[in-house]
Amino acid sequence: MLYSFALSCKLKAAVGSLQSRFCPCFARAASQTKFPLSRTHGKSFVHRSELKHAKRIVVKLGSAVVTRGDECGLALGRLASIVEQVSVLQNQGREMMIVTSGAVAFGKQRLRHEILLSQSVRQALHSGQNQLKEMSVPVLEARACAAAGQSGLMALYEAMFTQYSICAAQILVTNLDFHDDQKRRNLNSTLHELLRMNIVPIINTNDAVVPPPEPNSDLQGVNVISIKDNDSLAARLAVEMKADLLIALSDVEGLYDLPPESDDAKLIDIFYPGDQQSITFGTKSRVGIGGMEAKVKSALWALQGGTSVVIANGTDPKVTGHVITDIVEGKKVGTFFSEVKPAGPTVEQQAEMARSRGRTLSSLLPQQRAEIICQLADLLTDQREDILAANKKDLEVAISGGRLSQPLLKRLSLSPSKLNSLSIGLRQIAVSSQDSVGRVIRRTRIANNLELEQITVPIGVLLVIFESRPDCLPQVSALAIASGNALLLKGGKEASNTNQILHRLTQEALSIHGVKDAVQLVSTREEVEDLCRLNQLIDLIIPRGSSHLVRDIQRAAKGIPVLGHSEGVCHVYIDQEASIEKVIKIIRDSKCEYPAACNAMETLLVHRDLLRSPLFDQIIDMLRVEQVKIHAGPKFASYLTFSPSEVKSLRTEYGDLECCIEVVDSMQDAIDHIHKYGSSHTDVIVTENEETAEYFLQHLDSACVFWNSSSRFSDGYRFGLGAEVGISTARIHARGPVGLEGLLTTKWVLRGDGHTVADFSEQGSMKYLHENIAVTHRTSS
């Protein structure tokens, strides 16, 4: 319900009235499980990730957020969305307060309606209908509009909050109330009592009695809607009430280093005290008096008082429905004000440095890029002891924490043999890099002295996110260097020590040709979802990890293509004409050699004629010896009296010593099964019938299709690519193990001699030739 409090009234009388009239709300507040307090107020949060611990939150709604575009009336849809988010947080046990504008807009709408109605009636009675078109609305005084709109605004809040079983209370204040100690104490006491009773206070300046606004705050003859000290009011209340977080919503994304309408303006993710000198403030928003400069001053004042602040956009329909909850969850929304400046660069700065140095990297000679990669291969060998020592620390932490499964621990672990294989793979990449960037794919003579080339170029800035696989770092770095791409790396915290030393060695190798910053390791507390939103800085995202990670990244990526596969549900089909010796070897290798790999077998398809054969018995015996847990598919289970546990899903990627066995009636049945339940990753047929094998290879639509060989061959190193950035099941750009070629795109280069399109018109003097020219030398001239 909604209540109005005069600050001079006695608190006990007000509270007594509330409890007697609305005891259900008070009872609910007393019984509700509260959001646990996580800190003592006094210092603001240092990182966005800590905002989820905020208990007491002030939400300031700017005029542009609350009002419609015509500045006459309220934006009801936005307001309803904001109320819903505040209610969600309130029902979590947080203490929510709202500082709102809107009374003037609401009153202006009502008064205009009344004036027009009154004028139309008078003119109809005295002058006739022909003069109705000449009616005009006089300039409406802001304080009169506020007096007329205050009750309607609060009635609207009442109706909206009632939908979520939440009570709201109105408090009107003026500047004078903060200058009088007694009134300020009354305000503080009233607000604390409301919060104790689980009521949302809605605070507004008493626009009906405030002094008139400054002359320059007039908008087309009509006083603007917001109050001059609305931002400072929110900051003052937040500090007075020891709020953990102040969310200031306006009509811009946050704080920019230049006016937002400027071409070079960049949104500031985190703003620190003392950074004001680097900011150029523009004009204020379409409504409101303070502008961004006033918001920044108020935010810094609140920050100094121990309240964290975020300034964000509350008008964008794409984000309005979740902007407040996203901020509280710690997502990268708007500008976060922090007192503690990190020692290193922000991820945006890292991306910009990587792009700049990446362009230099792509302009190096192929031999120079190869030298960098060979230097990195040498460092992996020379610094082996330091790398293994760092990896040992990560393993000890992971084992003591008990959070990683055995397959993930195996991925995390490095060994001398792994490092040796890495070094060999990197040297393969160095050799292949000699003919990568700038390679001419085709030449065409468009006309005399007009020649066109299509050449290979880097994609740009790559973001590679990987889990529990530190060996991924030098592999991906080498491929990025060979292809002239800049690289951002985000590794899992479980491998932080190993990743740091491997990245240091990578930058040491890059330094020999002055491109150290082309490869960056993101070590800030950046959420993966936030990284996926940097569509202005990142050109391609490559996830290396679990299917859950890949799916999350594919959902979170905003306008950035994602190269990868969500699952590795790989099949091995045993045909009735298969060799016993080959079957046992291939199944053991595909499932047991490295069960955590994405190219490990997850489902074994067996032709039904083999079910009661010695071959099938040998398969089962081998899997039992290897301690592989078997899950029966529906058809297989129907053949057995006592079957293993029936599979829950035929699309399961186990990633461990487990697999599904299913029966198929024919090779075509196997293909249909794989198309229905597979992930288009890697699938195998084992048969001695060449015709059957070729049909399988041609008709199965997967990235990798093998005959009489283990699924584990699906790997960049084993394919001779040197290494891979991942295995793609996508159907455009790259598919299967993605090596050097998959990190290149093309551009067109046209060389002419004053040619124009008009030369080729009917009246022109030239004709198109479109002759293919043999590519005699592979690099562009």
Side-chain angles (χ1 to χ4, degrees):
M1 307 302 291
L2 186 105
Y3 320 97
S4 180
F5 284 85
L7 294 181
S8 58
C9 71
K10 292 185 179 179
L11 178 62
K12 289 185 178 180
V15 174
S17 173
L18 284 171
Q19 292 184 14
S20 61
R21 293 176 60 200
F22 303 103
C23 56
C25 188
F26 180 77
R28 180 169 58 86
S31 62
Q32 183 172 354
T33 302
K34 289 291 184 181
F35 191 83
L37 282 169
S38 61
R39 69 185 186 115
T40 301
H41 184 85
K43 286 190 176 181
S44 58
F45 294 118
V46 175
H47 302 286
R48 283 184 185 268
S49 59
E50 297 171 342
L51 295 180
K52 61 179 176 286
H53 300 301
K55 177 177 175 63
R56 184 169 293 171
I57 302 172
V58 176
V59 178
K60 181 258 176 181
L61 305 180
S63 303
V65 176
V66 178
T67 62
R68 296 198 314 238
D70 61 4
E71 303 158 26
C72 185
L74 303 179
L76 297 179
R78 282 201 296 266
L79 204 57
S81 176
I82 288 166
V83 167
E84 180 180 12
Q85 293 173 79
V86 170
S87 300
V88 167
L89 296 173
Q90 180 80 3
N91 285 328
Q92 290 176 358
R94 303 179 197 264
E95 297 174 345
M96 305 298 296
M97 293 178 280
I98 294 178
V99 176
T100 184
S101 302
V104 176
F106 200 83
K108 183 179 176 182
Q109 184 183 35
R110 291 181 62 186
L111 291 179
R112 286 187 61 176
H113 177 78
E114 292 297 327
I115 291 170
L116 288 172
L117 182 62
S118 175
Q119 286 182 348
S120 65
V121 171
R122 285 200 305 270
Q123 291 186 18
L125 291 173
H126 301 293
S127 304
Q129 295 290 335
N130 61 330
Q131 295 185 19
L132 288 180
K133 295 181 180 179
E134 299 176 6
M135 289 188 300
S136 61
V137 179
V139 174
L140 299 176
E141 204 275 328
R143 286 175 290 181
C145 291
Q150 196 66 250
S151 60
L153 175 66
M154 300 314 298
L156 184 63
Y157 274 118
E158 176 188 31
M160 289 181 174
F161 274 111
T162 299
Q163 302 301 312
Y164 303 96
S165 301
I166 289 177
C167 305
Q170 176 188 2
I171 296 180
L172 298 176
V173 297
T174 65
N175 286 336
L176 297 176
D177 294 319
F178 291 98
H179 297 307
D180 186 298
D181 290 341
Q182 184 58 48
K183 288 184 178 181
R184 193 168 70 251
R185 283 194 294 270
N186 286 346
L187 171 62
N188 193 289
S189 179
T190 300
L191 287 170
H192 275 93
E193 186 64 16
L194 291 174
L195 294 176
R196 186 182 68 83
M197 293 188 294
N198 200 42
I199 295 170
V200 176
I202 298 178
I203 305 103
N204 197 355
T205 49
N206 193 350
D207 296 353
V209 298
V210 296
E214 299 294 330
N216 63 2
S217 65
D218 193 73
L219 184 62
Q220 296 179 346
V222 180
N223 289 334
V224 293
I225 296 167
S226 75
I227 305 304
K228 186 173 183 180
D229 62 348
N230 203 10
D231 296 301
S232 58
L233 168 63
R236 182 69 179 266
L237 282 170
V239 174
E240 289 273 352
M241 293 300 296
K242 295 181 170 60
D244 300 313
L245 175 61
L246 166 60
I247 299 174
L249 299 182
S250 69
D251 59 350
V252 292
E253 303 300 321
L255 180 59
Y256 287 81
D257 58 349
L258 295 172
E261 63 274 11
S262 303
D263 290 338
D264 296 328
K266 294 179 181 177
L267 180 65
I268 298 173
D269 173 36
I270 305 177
F271 187 78
Y272 306 97
D275 282 357
Q276 295 96 312
Q277 302 302 319
S278 62
I279 304 298
T280 301
F281 292 103
T283 58
K284 61 184 179 61
S285 64
R286 63 175 175 84
V287 289
I289 298 175
M292 185 56 74
E293 188 170 6
K295 289 177 176 59
V296 171
K297 289 180 179 178
S298 298
L300 291 174
W301 190 87
L303 188 68
Q304 188 178 12
T307 297
S308 294
V309 183
V310 175
I311 296 177
N313 192 337
T315 63
D316 186 347
K318 294 181 180 179
V319 301
T320 301
H322 47 82
V323 60
I324 297 174
T325 51
D326 280 355
I327 289 170
V328 175
E329 289 172 8
K331 294 181 180 178
K332 186 176 284 191
V333 178
T335 299
F336 171 61
F337 286 71
S338 176
E339 289 188 291
V340 180
K341 197 165 189 175
T346 66
V347 67
E348 290 85 358
Q349 291 169 334
Q350 285 185 292
E352 288 172 354
M353 286 191 294
R355 185 180 292 279
S356 175
R357 292 293 89 193
R359 286 174 177 149
T360 306
L361 174 67
S362 66
S363 67
L364 294 177
L365 296 173
Q367 297 90 334
Q368 292 174 309
R369 287 192 294 270
E371 287 171 7
I372 294 172
I373 298 168
C374 289
Q375 177 68 12
L376 177 57
D378 290 339
L379 288 171
L380 291 179
T381 304
D382 297 341
Q383 304 292 324
R384 177 187 295 123
E385 298 304 320
D386 292 341
I387 296 170
L388 294 177
N391 186 243
K392 184 179 179 182
K393 289 181 183 178
D394 289 328
L395 284 169
E396 289 172 350
V397 172
I399 293 170
S400 63
R403 293 190 302 270
L404 294 184
S405 64
Q406 206 53 41
L408 288 180
L409 283 173
K410 189 173 181 180
R411 286 186 180 185
L412 176 60
S413 175
L414 291 180
S415 64
S417 61
K418 264 192 180 181
L419 291 176
N420 186 54
S421 296
L422 273 174
S423 182
I424 295 171
L426 264 55
R427 295 183 189 282
Q428 289 180 348
I429 296 172
V431 173
S432 61
S433 70
Q434 299 287 336
D435 187 25
S436 55
V437 180
R439 186 177 75 251
V440 178
I441 295 176
R442 73 172 71 178
R443 280 197 178 100
T444 305
R445 181 175 290 109
I446 305 298
N448 290 329
N449 297 320
L450 184 65
E451 293 189 359
L452 178 69
E453 286 183 344
Q454 184 184 17
I455 63 172
T456 57
V457 293
I459 289 173
V461 178
L462 313 177
L463 168 62
V464 177
I465 303 169
F466 55 100
E467 295 177 319
S468 305
R469 296 189 66 165
D471 55 332
C472 173
L473 194 153
Q475 286 180 335
V476 173
S477 296
L479 286 169
I481 294 165
S483 56
N485 284 289
L487 179 62
L488 285 180
L489 294 157
K490 174 67 173 175
K493 61 182 179 181
E494 66 280 351
S496 59
N497 291 296
T498 315
N499 288 337
Q500 285 172 15
I501 188 171
L502 290 174
H503 177 249
R504 177 174 61 78
L505 296 177
T506 302
Q507 289 202 319
E508 184 178 335
L510 287 162
S511 297
I512 66 175
H513 287 297
V515 287
K516 171 185 174 184
D517 291 330
V519 176
Q520 299 280 332
L521 179 65
V522 179
S523 55
T524 58
R525 300 172 63 159
E526 216 76 32
E527 297 295 333
V528 167
E529 186 174 343
D530 292 330
L531 291 171
C532 292
R533 293 176 177 173
L534 301 177
N535 59 311
Q536 299 299 316
L537 299 171
I538 294 169
D539 299 301
L540 179 67
I541 301 175
I542 304 172
R544 295 287 304 269
S546 66
S547 58
H548 178 74
L549 170 73
V550 178
R551 283 194 297 268
D552 283 350
I553 290 173
Q554 289 172 333
R555 281 193 295 265
K558 304 296 182 183
I560 310 175
V562 178
L563 180 71
H565 65 279
S566 57
E567 291 174 311
V569 183
C570 302
H571 296 73
V572 174
Y573 164 58
I574 309 301
D575 186 58
Q576 73 264 40
E577 297 183 62
S579 157
I580 293 179
E581 181 182 353
K582 292 177 185 177
V583 165
I584 300 301
K585 284 179 62 180
I586 290 170
I587 294 176
R588 179 186 286 114
D589 191 76
S590 296
K591 178 74 258 184
C592 309
E593 195 265 343
Y594 191 4
C598 64
N599 56 13
M601 181 194 79
E602 304 294 2
T603 298
L604 176 64
L605 299 178
V606 180
H607 193 284
R608 67 177 180 181
D609 292 348
L610 298 176
L611 264 188
R612 289 174 171 76
S613 68
L615 170 59
F616 185 73
D617 292 338
Q618 290 184 45
I619 293 172
I620 299 299
D621 290 342
M622 181 272 295
L623 292 175
R624 284 175 177 164
V625 169
E626 298 290 344
Q627 298 182 330
V628 177
K629 183 178 180 180
I630 297 172
H631 302 276
K635 285 186 180 179
F636 182 41
S638 68
Y639 283 92
L640 305 173
T641 305
F642 301 101
S643 68
S645 62
E646 190 165 340
V647 70
K648 294 179 181 179
S649 170
L650 289 168
R651 294 188 176 94
T652 302
E653 181 180 13
Y654 299 100
D656 206 347
L657 285 172
E658 297 181 60
C659 74
C660 167
I661 296 181
E662 182 58 312
V663 175
V664 292
D665 295 332
S666 64
M667 182 260 294
Q668 184 60 53
D669 193 18
I671 292 175
D672 294 341
H673 178 101
I674 295 170
H675 283 162
K676 185 174 183 179
Y677 299 109
S679 60
S680 301
H681 191 295
T682 301
D683 299 290
V684 177
I685 182 172
V686 184
T687 183
E688 295 303 298
N689 188 313
E690 183 176 353
E691 184 179 346
T692 301
E694 287 301 326
Y695 186 93
F696 184 90
L697 297 176
Q698 295 301 320
H699 289 80
L700 186 64
D701 186 19
S702 294
C704 300
V705 190
F706 299 163
W707 172 27
N708 285 351
S709 52
S710 168
S711 63
R712 294 279 291 118
F713 278 106
S714 182
D715 174 82
Y717 173 74
R718 298 182 181 106
F719 276 16
L721 306 179
E724 66 185 31
V725 293
I727 296 179
S728 172
T729 55
R731 298 184 179 274
I732 57 174
H733 178 61
R735 200 173 187 209
V738 180
L740 181 58
E741 292 292 325
L743 298 182
L744 295 170
T745 183
T746 64
K747 72 176 181 181
W748 298 89
V749 176
L750 184 65
R751 295 180 175 90
D753 187 20
H755 293 77
T756 66
V757 171
D759 294 334
F760 297 86
S761 65
E762 290 184 4
Q763 294 77 30
S765 59
M766 303 197 72
K767 300 293 182 182
Y768 288 111
L769 299 176
H770 293 149
E771 296 175 352
N772 291 328
I773 304 173
V775 179
T776 54
H777 56 279
R778 299 299 297 265
T779 56
S780 174
S781 57

